[in-house]
Amino acid sequence: MNLAIDFFPLSYYNITAPEGMQLRLPSALNFCGLGAVKMGKGNDLRNDTVLSLVFKLTVPAMLAQLVNVLYGIIDRMFIGHIPVVGNIALAGVGVCGPITTLLSSFGNLVGIGGSVMMATSMGHGDRERAKKILSNSFLLLLVLSVALTVVLLLNKREMIYLFGGSDKTYEFANTYLTIYTTGTFFALLALGLNFFISCQGFSVNAMLTVLIGAVSNIILDAVFVPGLGWGAGGAALATVISQMFSCIYAVAFLFGKKVGVRISFGNYDWRMMLKIIVMGISPFIILATDSVIIIAINMILQRFGGADGDMLISAYTITQSYFLLITGPLFGISGGVQPIISFNYGAGQNDRVQKTVKYAALMGIIFNGIMLVVSQLFAGGFVKFFTEDLNTAKAAVWGIKVFTISVVPLALQYVFVDALTALSKVKISLYLSAFRKIAYVACALAFAGAFGAAYSFYAEPVVDIAAGIQAMLVFIFVWKRHLKKHEKSLSREPEMQTC
């Protein structure tokens, strides 16, 4: 006979009582989190070996991020090959890039902030608080999606010109942004809610949320752009529809019976919403400032590049597109282990937290080491997909090789910053992220001014080394002291001692 438990479906527990014996866990043990141990099919965040958990959660996350990056690249390839106006259309859509990135950062703001708090609460055994966090996060995503849609539609013209639009590219940028903005609701919910699927251990389902949108977008791009000849508007429509599919899947999954903590209504608390925002502010700023950095580097290349300014900007765009093939999966590693860190941090299992960070760092170093070799040997093959201009291709290949010289220490920056966020050390992770961004722009400006525009590319490897070393030193100094302090605080709670 199945062992009966106060809450969660019985399918979460691979435990049976002897024949003819009916047992029921006391509510005190439920409070201690036994009902929250099995967070997803095959993923027990409390008891599975740490190494197996790291692979189970990071591999799907890496694949999802890789596919996400690829369909963004393919999207630009379709637009760039539109007959006659392809280059202008691509430039117009490129202007919208920083704006769409800014929208995505709001999904990460709520998704990462809320999921870290929720996983910590589940590890601590407080299921009611976990439900409340998800409820408030869902409402926050709804409110933000409506507010952002209104703001963008009312100010899109000003934003297009602010982010580098011109009279030639405005028509394409306006068409793309108008259609894309109408799908803000789907984009934010799909992105934000997916973190709450992942933090409950459903890594495969979280990957499916992304895959559904990515595959749909690629197919619809082919149908709408070259097939029906709808141009940039067709590409935007394909994106909106694919995001809608992802949104429907994510919402349906979190309302379903398979998850331990489902979306509910009520228990709204503006103070909790503020905490969610504070917790997610670091990854939000990281993504939001990416747009600013791209604009700043383009201005530097244009200012110091002279006659080669436009060519260097094109090369930089290709280089950045390639670099996403590294940073995307790397974010899958660092973000994929956050549920393990947060859950076991809440449960007071510091040894599992330390092992998780160690394995994630090792995994990131190995992945980036492989990508370093690939980048140095095969950069030319990637560049051919974007341009046939020999000067631009040569500059882009050189740019990729320069950018990837120091990707190995970059892995430490990603893993340690996200680990600190998972441990609720938001201020420190925010400082580390901001340092890398500011130092990058400062170095690019200094190198371009002193040696020429092309030398601004060297800012990336220099900053990757400095930021990686700094993140490692800060993390080592902070994390053990913080874990010991947290462990002592848990030992003083009588309810937790019964666990």
Side-chain angles (χ1 to χ4, degrees):
M1 301 177 70
N2 283 332
L3 180 65
I5 299 180
D6 284 349
F7 53 78
F8 289 151
L10 295 178
S11 60
Y12 283 102
Y13 311 95
N14 296 323
I15 307 173
T16 56
E19 186 65 29
M21 184 177 181
Q22 185 172 6
L23 299 176
R24 191 173 188 84
L25 288 180
S27 58
L29 292 182
N30 284 338
F31 178 76
C32 291
L34 294 184
V37 172
K38 205 71 171 178
M39 303 311 302
K41 186 177 180 181
N43 295 334
D44 185 336
L45 299 184
R46 188 193 299 273
N47 296 313
D48 282 356
T49 61
V50 173
L51 184 59
S52 68
L53 278 175
V54 169
F55 276 104
K56 288 177 183 178
L57 269 68
T58 58
V59 172
M62 290 177 68
L63 291 174
Q65 288 293 331
L66 179 60
V67 171
N68 199 35
V69 169
L70 284 176
Y71 92 74
I73 293 173
I74 293 172
D75 198 29
R76 291 190 287 273
M77 289 180 181
F78 274 117
I79 295 172
H81 285 86
I82 297 174
V84 183
V85 297
N87 289 335
I88 299 176
L90 184 59
V93 174
V95 170
C96 299
I99 303 174
T100 57
T101 299
L102 182 62
L103 282 175
S104 299
S105 63
F106 281 95
N108 283 272
L109 171 70
V110 179
I112 295 179
S115 64
V116 167
M117 289 174 59
M118 180 172 156
T120 303
S121 295
M122 290 187 295
H124 201 57
D126 195 343
R127 179 176 179 262
E128 289 304 315
R129 177 174 170 79
K131 287 177 59 180
K132 185 176 180 180
I133 291 170
L134 180 54
S135 174
N136 280 269
S137 297
F138 185 58
L139 178 61
L140 197 53
L141 285 170
L142 293 176
V143 172
L144 282 174
S145 64
V146 174
L148 289 170
T149 300
V150 173
V151 171
L152 280 176
L153 288 177
L154 292 177
N155 300 280
K156 59 181 179 176
R157 179 180 178 84
E158 291 77 9
M159 295 188 72
I160 287 172
Y161 279 102
L162 177 65
F163 285 98
S166 65
D167 292 337
K168 290 184 178 180
T169 60
Y170 177 79
E171 177 185 350
F172 301 98
N174 181 58
T175 299
Y176 186 90
L177 188 60
T178 300
I179 297 174
Y180 185 93
T181 301
T182 60
T184 300
F185 174 86
F186 303 120
L188 257 65
L189 260 66
L191 178 60
L193 292 179
N194 203 36
F195 288 100
F196 296 95
I197 296 175
S198 179
C199 84
Q200 297 191 63
F202 293 95
S203 53
V204 174
N205 298 95
M207 179 182 68
L208 285 176
T209 304
V210 178
L211 288 178
I212 288 171
V215 173
S216 299
N217 193 73
I218 292 173
I219 295 173
L220 292 174
D221 263 338
V223 173
F224 292 163
V225 182
L228 298 177
W230 290 355
L237 183 60
T239 301
V240 170
I241 294 175
S242 64
Q243 289 171 342
M244 181 182 68
F245 290 156
S246 292
C247 176
I248 291 173
Y249 179 82
V251 172
F253 190 82
L254 285 173
F255 270 111
K257 296 181 179 180
K258 190 175 182 180
V259 290
V261 179
R262 300 192 291 269
I263 293 175
S264 59
F265 300 98
N267 291 321
Y268 300 125
D269 185 347
W270 69 268
R271 288 171 297 184
M272 176 168 283
M273 293 183 192
L274 182 60
K275 289 180 181 178
I276 292 170
I277 292 174
V278 170
M279 186 63 67
I281 197 67
S282 178
F284 169 78
I285 291 178
I286 292 172
L287 285 173
T289 53
D290 279 345
S291 303
V292 179
I293 287 175
I294 291 174
I295 294 171
I297 298 301
N298 285 342
M299 291 175 64
I300 290 172
L301 293 174
Q302 194 68 264
R303 169 67 176 81
F304 295 96
D308 293 328
D310 290 335
M311 183 272 292
L312 288 173
I313 290 174
S314 297
Y316 179 74
T317 301
I318 297 172
T319 301
Q320 280 287 356
S321 296
Y322 178 84
F323 207 56
L324 289 174
L325 296 176
I326 300 175
T327 58
L330 185 59
F331 179 73
I333 295 174
S334 62
V337 297
Q338 278 189 325
I340 310 173
I341 296 173
S342 296
F343 183 92
N344 287 284
Y345 171 69
Q349 299 196 44
N350 289 350
D351 59 326
R352 292 175 64 83
V353 172
Q354 296 181 45
K355 287 181 180 178
T356 301
V357 176
K358 180 180 72 174
Y359 290 140
L362 182 61
M363 195 172 184
I365 289 173
I366 293 173
F367 171 76
N368 278 20
I370 294 173
M371 291 305 296
L372 168 62
V373 176
V374 171
S375 303
Q376 298 300 315
L377 295 178
F378 304 108
F382 177 83
V383 172
K384 289 180 181 178
F385 287 107
F386 286 85
T387 182
E388 296 178 359
D389 181 78
L390 294 179
N391 289 332
T392 302
K394 183 178 179 180
V397 170
W398 172 81
I400 290 174
K401 291 182 178 181
V402 169
F403 254 56
T404 55
I405 292 174
S406 303
V407 291
V408 174
L410 178 65
L412 300 179
Q413 165 82 7
Y414 270 68
V415 171
F416 291 147
V417 167
D418 282 354
L420 287 167
T421 300
L423 294 174
S424 302
K425 303 299 291 182
V426 179
K427 292 181 179 179
I428 298 177
S429 62
L430 179 57
Y431 159 74
L432 293 173
S433 300
F435 170 83
R436 183 172 179 270
K437 302 285 185 180
I438 296 171
Y440 177 56
V441 175
C443 285
L445 181 60
F447 292 166
F451 308 109
Y455 284 86
S456 63
F457 282 67
Y458 284 103
E460 182 68 40
V462 170
V463 171
D464 286 346
I465 293 174
I469 293 175
Q470 179 183 235
M472 179 180 65
L473 294 175
V474 171
F475 187 79
I476 292 173
F477 178 76
V478 170
W479 78 316
K480 288 188 177 181
R481 184 177 63 179
H482 180 66
L483 289 178
K484 288 180 180 179
K485 182 178 178 181
H486 179 67
E487 189 174 20
K488 289 180 180 179
S489 68
L490 288 179
S491 66
R492 291 194 294 267
E493 299 181 23
E495 295 88 352
M496 291 298 102
Q497 290 176 358
T498 62
C499 295

